[in-house]
Amino acid sequence: MGRCITVAIAGLGSRGKDVYAQAQKQFPKKMKIVAVADINPEKVAAAAKEFQIPEEACFSSAEEMLEQDKLAEVMFIATQDRQHVGHAIPALRKGYH
């Protein structure tokens, strides 16, 4: 069956919340969202409730999340397209897939 992969999601818009996060519901034994970040606190609160993410793993921006020690094995970069390089490079340097 394989192991469960931990995931952090930066950006909770259409891609982050409605596509990538929903994969946990389709594959609950393969994926667990353990941290989220978004500039909209209501989106962060809703995702935290929906996916049982503790408050200390909820962030107000991708930058704030990336200031932390590595939180998961994988980070989905779902921020605005123009922000991807600025978020992906630091995430890769931290060892995220």
Side-chain angles (χ1 to χ4, degrees), residues 25-76:
K25 292 181 180 180
Q26 292 177 324
F27 306 102
K29 294 180 180 178
K30 300 245 180 216
M31 171 184 167
K32 171 73 175 148
I33 300 167
V34 297
V36 292
D38 196 274
I39 59 172
N40 182 330
E42 293 164 356
K43 289 181 178 183
V44 172
K49 182 177 179 183
E50 183 174 357
F51 298 102
Q52 296 82 49
I53 301 166
E55 186 176 336
E56 61 270 12
C58 295
F59 302 95
S60 62
S61 68
E63 293 83 4
E64 182 184 13
M65 179 187 281
L66 287 163
E67 289 173 2
Q68 311 304 310
D69 289 335
K70 187 176 169 189
L71 301 164
E73 297 167 86
V74 173
M75 181 180 287
F76 292 146

